[in-house]
């Protein structure tokens, strides 16, 4: 059985059993777990449970979703993991197998540390946006005077080559990240497909058992009627 406890500061405000399905986390009232905190997005994250496996997924929140202090987009949960969304901390517990980490004590992060994490995340996002909007020159220009006294612009070939290398490296990283995301999605889809196939087989077996049981009961009733005649 999987469950979570929702904590705000040093107080536990809620506890939920994770059954098969999705639990949404966010600031607005249409979420399964409402978090009254300005640093929490309207629809911040969700926890998905398939049988005994659970994972947390960020929903494009402004300040990010963290697991054990590390910002994540999607993360498979293990017993003892601490999810941080704004000023809230959610502790995940599971009795399925040994936890990934087995700390002697679950340590809740202080408000100062949470604020520092949010500030660092916002700073990194702003820096990324600034880098994307900044236009990098294709080449450096060097002023040289010609014999006639006119100013001439000369291309720096070395800088141009470095720019091309940086562009190729960025494109390669983007392709690699896209491939990694596709691989993770394929793995999750394969696992979910296998679980659904297993559930269908179990359902068919139950139907077969019920049919056999009903048939046996009918046969016994007929035999009893014939004997009584």
């Amino acid at each position: 059985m999987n469950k979570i406890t929702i904590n705000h500061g040093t107080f536990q405000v809620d506890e939920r059993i994770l059954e098969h399905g999705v639990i949404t986390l966010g600031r607005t009232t249409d979420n399964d777990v409402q978090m009254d905190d300005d640093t929490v997005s309207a629809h911040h994250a969700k926890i998905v449970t398939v049988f005994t496996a659970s994972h947390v997924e960020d929903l494009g929140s402004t300040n990010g979703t963290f697991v054990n202090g590390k910002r994540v987009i999607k993360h498979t949960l293990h017993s003892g993991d601490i999810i941080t969304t704004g000023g809230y901390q959610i502790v995940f517990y599971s009795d399925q197998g040994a936890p990934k980490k087995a700390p002697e004590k679950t340590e809740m992060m202080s408000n100062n540390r949470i604020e520092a994490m949010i500030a660092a995340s916002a700073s990194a996002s702003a820096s990324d946006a600034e880098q994307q909007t900044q236009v990098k020159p294709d080449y450096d220009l060097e002023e040289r005077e010609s014999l006639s006294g006119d100013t001439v612009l000369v291309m720096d070939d070395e800088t141009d080559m470095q720019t091309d290398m940086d562009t190729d490296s960025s494109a390669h990283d983007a392709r690699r990240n896209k491939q990694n995301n596709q691989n993770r999605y394929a793995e999750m889809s394969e696992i979910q497909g296998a679980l659904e196939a297993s559930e269908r087989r179990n359902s068919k077996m139950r139907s077969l058992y019920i049919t056999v049981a009903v048939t046996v009961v009918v046969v016994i009733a007929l035999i009893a009627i014939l004997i009584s005649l």
Side-chain angles (χ1 to χ4, degrees):
M1 178 185 69
N2 299 340
K3 71 174 184 178
I4 54 174
T5 58
I6 299 95
N7 308 276
H8 192 228
T10 58
F11 298 97
Q12 178 177 323
V13 297
D14 199 359
E15 178 176 308
R16 296 291 182 93
I17 301 298
L18 298 181
E19 298 178 347
H20 183 78
V22 178
I23 288 183
T24 57
L25 315 172
R27 193 178 64 253
T28 55
T29 56
D30 58 342
N31 290 281
D32 298 311
V33 177
Q34 184 185 7
M35 298 177 170
D36 187 13
D37 192 316
D38 291 338
T39 59
V40 176
S41 295
H43 299 94
H44 197 104
K46 65 180 179 180
I47 298 176
V48 181
T49 301
V50 180
F51 295 101
T52 60
S54 298
H55 72 266
V56 62
E57 182 175 348
D58 185 79
L59 298 178
S61 63
T62 301
N63 293 320
T65 300
F66 299 81
V67 176
N68 301 328
K70 181 179 180 181
R71 186 167 184 171
V72 299
I73 300 300
K74 181 184 289 186
H75 178 82
T76 300
L77 295 171
H78 304 274
S79 187
D81 281 350
I82 300 177
I83 306 166
T84 303
T85 56
Y88 284 80
Q89 297 185 70
I90 303 166
V91 184
F92 174 79
Y93 299 96
S94 175
D95 56 7
Q96 300 295 325
K100 182 179 181 181
K101 295 182 180 179
E104 295 181 359
K105 181 180 179 181
T106 300
E107 297 183 358
M108 305 299 290
M109 288 182 286
S110 65
N111 289 335
N112 291 337
R113 184 178 176 188
I114 293 173
E115 291 174 359
M117 287 167 51
I118 294 174
S121 175
S123 177
S125 298
S127 177
D128 291 342
E130 182 178 355
Q131 290 179 2
Q132 290 176 0
T133 55
Q134 182 178 4
V135 178
K136 185 175 181 180
D138 292 337
Y139 51 80
D140 292 336
L141 298 178
E142 181 182 358
E143 292 187 354
R144 295 183 182 177
E145 291 185 357
S146 66
L147 296 176
S148 62
D150 297 330
T151 299
V152 188
L153 300 181
V154 182
M155 180 187 298
D156 189 337
D157 293 335
E158 183 178 352
T159 303
D160 186 55
M161 182 180 297
Q162 182 65 37
T163 302
D164 292 340
M165 292 175 62
D166 292 342
T167 302
D168 292 341
S169 177
S170 300
H172 176 73
D173 291 342
R175 288 194 298 270
R176 183 174 59 185
N177 291 337
K178 181 179 180 180
Q179 184 63 40
N180 290 339
N181 291 336
Q182 290 176 345
N183 291 341
R184 285 194 293 268
Y185 180 80
E187 290 174 359
M188 289 298 298
S189 298
E190 184 177 350
I191 293 173
Q192 186 168 1
L195 293 173
E196 291 175 352
S198 176
E199 180 65 18
R200 287 194 296 269
R201 287 196 298 270
N202 292 338
S203 177
K204 290 180 180 179
M205 291 299 296
R206 286 193 295 267
S207 298
L208 179 60
Y209 293 154
I210 292 173
T211 301
V212 171
V214 171
T215 303
V216 170
V217 170
V218 171
V219 170
I220 293 175
L222 291 174
I223 293 174
I225 293 172
L226 292 174
I227 293 175
S228 63
L229 294 177

